[in-house]
Each structure stands twice: as structure tokens, then as C-alpha cells.
Amino acid sequence: MKKPETIKALKVSGYAPQTVKQEMRRNLVCMIERGENLFPGIVGYEKTVLPQIENAMLSGHDFILLGLRGQAKTRILRQLVRFLDEWTPAIEGCELNDDPLNPICPACKRRVSLEGDQVPVRWIHRDERYREKLATPDVTIADLIGDIDPIKAARGGHELSSEFTVHYGLLPRANRGIFAINELPDLAGKIQVGLFNIMQEGDVQIKGYPIRLALDVAIVFSANPEDYTARGKIITPLKDRIGSEIRTHYPATVEEGIAITAQEAWIQRDGSRLHIPKYVQEVIERIAFAARDDKKIDKRSGVSQRLPISAIENVVSNAERRALTHEEKFIVPRISDIYAALPAITGKLELEYEGEMKGADFVSRELIRTAVAKAFDTYLHGVNMNQVVQWFDLGGEIQLSDNAAAQDVLEGLRQIQGLMEKLGKLNVNTKDSAEMQVSAAEFVLEGLHAHKKIGRNEERVFTAGEKPVKIAEKPVFERDDSEFGRKRGFN
Ligand SMILES: [Zn+2]
């Protein structure tokens, strides 16, 4: 069907103007009735965040998502375009996407009064109707709402105070669409006032000139919860005007976290060659969980879901590099690949004072070790590992470098009595590839090390329990620790 190309044709088609919020509500109602997946790819919010967003839209509210970083806030806001009509008519050439039957800008009003129903109509796709702005303290009224343009005034022969002389900012240009403002509390108070006036009254002052702009915009926001609730960060009338405050959260379970990470990370590379063991996924996910609980890490900024996502990408890459080097058939990540992925982890952690003192590397290694211990417990709880531990106590040693070829290490691992038969708990047996067996066996040894049953040094040589390790490497840390202790004592 051909879309109407003039106001006249549009009227004949039976088109009736609707506000953006009415339009979103109408589409949402249909989608709920049809039982559609409203927010594809958003995992773990089905019973918490998403119903609240739907309620906000059904209520016709402007709303704010409050949450720490990496909680899919921006992603959810971008998905709101799904609730707009696919195509929407606007007056051709209008900077504000004016509704052909209800123009608000002075230029279009004049044009319609002169040309009447012959004014041409342009159809806008919904993807063009979403705008977003990251709030920063230096955002001005001119950026967001507009400015008086003296050149425009001079050329058109208008007064400076005329509405014809306004150069429109981001918000007016988002007219008849959705405008998302991320990190709202970073917006200066004066700008918040301007924003409120536009939302509430449809008018605003630009350089002292009152400008009337009856915009039709669904405004949505995101913010860090602590910034948002801090006194004085948000002007009260604006806060009142935001209909719903919706809290986002990190994945509630490790399983949900794994699902999100698997969906977001770029890990499908050479397809069939790659096999990521479940315990490796679990350890990576548990690093984020452990970090969110760790007092050395800043609670206020949180630990983004991007940590496990970048980590697993780097883990797969390290395994890929090893497989390429040794011309191995399979790419099977190991726990040592997680340690090799520190560059994808350290930058994602905002450290508190104590963490800063110890350094991001040290803190990250501790987190990995904690994560390994927890994952070990889920897979190998109650399994008797005495025989393996004994082998090390009797002087056994083995080096498991992340660069070592699986076939080379496998021989050594087989010498450790009682080890390989325990891998059944990880669904790995002697018929599996060397890559799989080595990864699983190394996980067991890393788990025993995480539980301090056996030792391991910086060169990744596994040895007997803590005692010999203390002589080998501990004094360095102990000296450091006591130095921190003394320094802090004086503070
Ligand atoms: Zn217009």
C-alpha cells in the first residue's frame, strides 16, 4: 500500500494524530495480547524490571531506570523503539518532525496556512525517532533545547525574540519520538529546570526570551541510584514529574549471569573447534559475583556485566592462540586462560582504598581464586581428593603453563594417581580429547590450590600444600601486608 504523500491524502486515509505515549501504549497493549517477547535478549528481568517498565508505559509515564553500570539500562531504553509505529508521517523538511495535522513549529504553521492540504508528507521510520544524550555537567540549554540564532534572525528579518530565530537543540529534534537522557544527575540544575518546563508547560526561556514549544516526547532517563537519591542532585519538581522509578539489578543467579554473558560475548569463532567447559563459564561468572561482594571494590559504581563478557572473550582468545600455536584440533579454555585474561578484568574494577593499595592485578587474582573455589565446590563437593593431595605431599610436582600443548601436559597429569578418574564429575573421561582432559584436570588442581590443599607458584608449578609455598613466595606478600598495616595504623 502506498503511503499518503500530502496532508490531503493523509486526511483521506483516516490518519488521526496521537501522542507518542498513546502510540506506545497502543502498540504495547497489542503486543501483550499477542503474547510477544517484549524485550528480546534481556535476561533475568522477566519478573522484576520488565513488568514495571510495561506498567510505566501503560500508565503513560516518563520513567527512570536506576541502576549500577552494566545492568542493561541503555539497552532497554534503546529497545523502546519497538513500541513505536514502524512508520509515522511528518511534514516534509520540518526540523521537529511536525505532525502534518497538528504542526507546532512556526515555520510549518505558516506553511500550512499558505499551502493548505498540498503540503508534502514524509514518512519517518521508528529507528529515527529515538535520540539519546549522555548527561554531563557541561551540557547547556543551547545543546539540549536550543539557542537564539542572530544570523537566522537577520536573514529572515525577524526579531531576536521571534520563534523563527531559534536554532533547535536535541530535545526539540526528538519531537514525536523517544528521548533518553543517561546519567540524569550529571545535568546542571539550570538545565533540569529547562527540561522540567518543557515537559510540564511546553515553554522555556532561551537567553531570557520565552519560547513556546509544545513538544510531544516520551522522555526516559537512567541514573546511578546513589547519585539520584543524593540530596540536591535532582530538582524536586523534575523528580515529581518522573512517573516511575524502576530499579535494575545484576543477575540474581550464576546461571542467569552465564546466560547473559554467553549471549553477549563474541565467542562463536571457528564454530565446532571451540568447546567452552561449563566450569570455565561458571568460574568467569563467579568472578563478577565475588567482585560485587568484595569490600575492596567500590559498591557505588558496581561491577558491570561487561566484566565476565570481556573476560570470556579474552579467555577464548588465549585458548585459541594456544590451539593455533600447537596446531591443536580443539580450542578448550582452561583456568590458566582466565589468569591470562587479567587485562580484560582489571580495568572493569573500581577499587576502594584497600584495593588500590594491593593493586588491581592482586585483587583480580584473589577474585579468580575465590571463584575457582566456589565452582570447585559445586562440581566436586564431597569427592575424596586425598590421593591427589598425597601425590603432591610425597614430592610430586607438575607445571601447567597456559601455553603448553595439551598432549604434552596430559602425559604428566596421568602420573598423578587418582586424578584422571575424578574427571567423571565434570563429564570428562579418557575417551575425550586431550584438550578437554587437560582443562578438566587443571580445574581440579586449581580448585585444590584455591582451597589451599596444594600449592602453586608464579610459574604455575603445582606442588605440595601451603608450607613449601610460603617459603617460596609468601614472604613477599607478607612484607607488603605488614607495610600496609603500619601505614594505615598512622592514618
Ligand atoms: Zn515544523
Side-chain angles (χ1 to χ4, degrees), residues 1 17 56 62-63 94 124 170 205 245 258 315 340 384 408 442 448 474:
M1 206 177 69
D62 296 309
F63 64 88
C94 175
I124 313 171
L170 285 166
Q205 290 199 348
E245 267 179 37
I258 289 175
V315 164
N384 187 337
D408 297 347
E442 194 212 51
L448 292 174
K474 261 286 163 82

Side-chain angles (χ1 to χ4, degrees), residues 45 66-73 76 248-250 304-305:
Y45 283 173
L66 294 180
L68 302 178
R69 58 195 185 133
Q71 293 186 344
K73 299 189 294 295
I76 290 173
T248 58
H249 53 82
Y250 287 123
S304 168
Q305 194 61 27

Side-chain angles (χ1 to χ4, degrees), residues 175-413:
N175 188 38
R176 298 186 70 222
I178 298 167
F179 189 58
I181 300 180
N182 291 314
E183 304 307 332
L184 175 64
D186 287 343
L187 217 53
K190 195 172 74 178
I191 317 299
Q192 293 182 27
V193 172
L195 195 61
F196 168 73
N197 286 338
I198 284 274
M199 288 167 78
Q200 189 65 21
E201 316 288 348
D203 57 26
V204 68
Q205 290 199 348
I206 298 177
K207 288 187 177 155
Y209 297 111
I211 303 285
R212 182 146 181 82
L213 276 178
L215 298 177
D216 172 22
V217 188
I219 309 185
V220 287
F221 306 91
S222 76
N224 178 300
E226 273 190 45
D227 290 347
Y228 187 72
T229 48
R231 242 185 125 72
K233 285 272 198 146
I234 307 287
I235 61 161
T236 312
L238 180 60
K239 217 173 207 172
D240 276 350
R241 183 65 175 64
I242 299 174
S244 297
E245 267 179 37
I246 298 165
R247 295 251 172 184
T248 58
H249 53 82
Y250 287 123
T253 63
V254 174
E255 284 303 317
E256 273 176 7
I258 289 175
I260 296 170
T261 300
Q263 170 185 288
E264 301 300 317
W266 184 60
I267 45 181
Q268 295 311 319
R269 301 182 191 179
D270 287 334
S272 58
R273 285 181 72 201
L274 173 67
H275 176 89
I276 307 176
K278 187 72 198 302
Y279 51 84
V280 168
Q281 286 182 295
E282 185 164 334
V283 169
I284 292 169
E285 209 56 47
R286 283 187 182 278
I287 296 170
F289 276 74
R292 286 166 194 149
D293 267 346
D294 194 312
K295 64 181 186 339
K296 292 188 285 306
I297 288 151
D298 182 12
K299 289 276 170 300
R300 218 197 110 275
S301 66
V303 176
S304 168
Q305 194 61 27
R306 285 183 280 269
L307 184 149
I309 293 168
S310 339
I312 202 167
E313 288 171 343
N314 234 347
V315 164
V316 168
S317 297
N318 201 57
E320 190 179 20
R321 205 165 47 80
R322 172 177 60 243
L324 292 169
T325 310
H326 300 294
E327 296 177 359
E328 289 179 332
K329 196 170 168 207
F330 297 105
I331 301 171
V332 184
R334 307 173 188 166
I335 300 300
S336 49
D337 295 324
I338 302 179
Y339 283 97
L342 280 184
I345 298 172
T346 50
K348 305 284 185 303
L349 302 172
E350 296 281 344
L351 300 175
E352 293 281 11
Y353 178 78
E354 192 194 341
E356 293 272 10
M357 291 297 107
K358 293 192 165 170
D361 252 54
F362 180 89
V363 173
S364 304
R365 285 173 189 281
E366 267 191 350
L367 291 172
I368 299 173
R369 189 168 164 162
T370 307
V372 169
K374 288 232 165 113
F376 182 88
D377 290 343
T378 48
Y379 287 90
L380 296 146
H381 179 75
V383 177
N384 187 337
M385 292 286 176
N386 289 345
Q387 210 184 349
V388 177
V389 174
Q390 240 168 42
W391 185 83
F392 286 99
D393 284 344
L394 291 172
E397 277 191 10
I398 185 166
Q399 184 176 29
L400 295 178
S401 148
D402 63 296
N403 290 316
Q407 204 58 56
D408 297 347
V409 204
L410 185 60
E411 296 309 316
L413 287 166

